[in-house]
């Protein structure tokens, strides 16, 4: 939605930023040098090994993966996009290139299809810290509470409202 020629500082993930830049070649996108280490550690060799083990499987990758991994994917999509692709696809087997937590939902949504994790490295210990008990406690106690100065809160709300207005 930005005017043509407007530079974009893309944070926090350089791989996702590269993917976004490829979808928007008329934009100058400046990449922040951050990344999701779970996605970033997957290499093309991991995908080639998984394809060797499961030659009939389609490769579905999250755009936070490295470009050489995305180049080997049959589809690059968000989490919900991967689920939708698997549900709508005629393929019966899939190699999944994102955090292992997605496998549960995929198997639930498509019980007649098979899903393989591209690598055992696709496990995020930080995501495993979120539990139903912790979620319940935070909602019940309304904490831990994050407080920011009022001017920061106002600017943040405006940014979120502008973002929502685009969609």
């Amino acid at each position: 939605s930005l005017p043509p020629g407007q530079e974009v500082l893309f944070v926090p993930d350089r791989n996702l930023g590269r993917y976004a830049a490829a979808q928007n070649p008329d934009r100058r996108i400046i990449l922040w040098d951050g990344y999701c280490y779970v996605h970033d550690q997957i290499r093309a060799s991991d995908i080639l090994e998984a394809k060797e083990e499961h030659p009939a499987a389609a490769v579905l990758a999250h755009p936070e993966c490295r470009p050489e991994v995305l180049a080997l994917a049959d589809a690059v999509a968000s989490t919900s996009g991967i689920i939708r692709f698997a549900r709508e696809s005629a393929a019966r087997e899939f190699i999944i290139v994102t955090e292992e937590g997605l496998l549960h939902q995929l198997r639930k949504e498509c019980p007649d299809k098979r899903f393989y994790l591209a690598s055992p490295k696709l496990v995020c210990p930080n995501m495993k810290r979120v539990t139903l008990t912790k979620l319940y406690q935070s909602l019940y106690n309304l904490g831990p509470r994050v407080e920011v100065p009022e001017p920061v809160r106002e600017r943040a709300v405006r940014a979120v409202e502008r973002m929502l207005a685009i969609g």
Side-chain angles (χ1 to χ4, degrees):
S1 69
L2 292 173
Q6 179 85 38
E7 289 183 337
V8 176
L9 174 61
F10 195 99
V11 296
D13 190 284
R14 66 181 179 220
N15 293 324
L16 183 57
R18 280 188 197 110
Y19 179 77
Q23 311 308 307
N24 296 281
D26 59 328
R27 301 261 181 229
R28 180 163 169 356
I29 298 181
I30 303 161
L31 302 176
W32 186 264
D33 196 27
Y35 57 91
C36 166
Y37 77 91
V38 174
H39 289 93
D40 194 65
Q41 68 184 332
I42 301 302
R43 301 292 192 266
S45 59
D46 295 311
I47 306 308
L48 296 172
E49 284 178 32
K51 281 295 285 180
E52 217 171 276
E53 260 186 72
H54 309 287
V59 177
L60 307 182
H62 194 277
E64 288 182 1
C65 295
R66 292 169 170 261
E68 61 270 22
V69 169
L70 299 182
L72 295 170
D74 295 291
V76 177
S78 64
T79 301
S80 60
I82 288 174
I83 294 169
R84 185 172 40 258
F85 187 96
R87 193 181 321 118
E88 295 172 1
S89 174
R92 311 301 303 152
E93 296 181 77
F94 302 89
I95 295 167
I96 304 302
V97 196
T98 194
E99 210 280 333
E100 72 162 356
L102 184 58
L103 292 177
H104 172 77
Q105 189 65 27
L106 284 165
R107 290 174 178 146
K108 185 176 160 187
E109 295 265 342
C110 310
D112 57 330
K113 298 182 179 185
R114 299 189 82 112
F115 300 95
Y116 312 103
L117 202 57
S119 166
K121 297 182 273 189
L122 285 164
V123 178
C124 179
N126 296 320
M127 289 179 74
K128 304 302 181 222
R129 290 183 189 174
V130 178
T131 65
L132 285 176
T133 301
K134 289 178 181 177
L135 177 61
Y136 170 80
Q137 288 297 323
S138 70
L139 291 171
Y140 184 79
N141 298 316
L142 296 178
R145 183 172 228 111
V146 176
E147 295 187 26
V148 296
E150 188 61 18
V152 173
R153 186 198 68 77
E154 289 171 358
R155 287 194 320 268
V157 167
R158 280 197 310 270
V160 170
E161 287 171 344
R162 283 194 314 262
M163 207 171 27
L164 293 173
I166 293 170

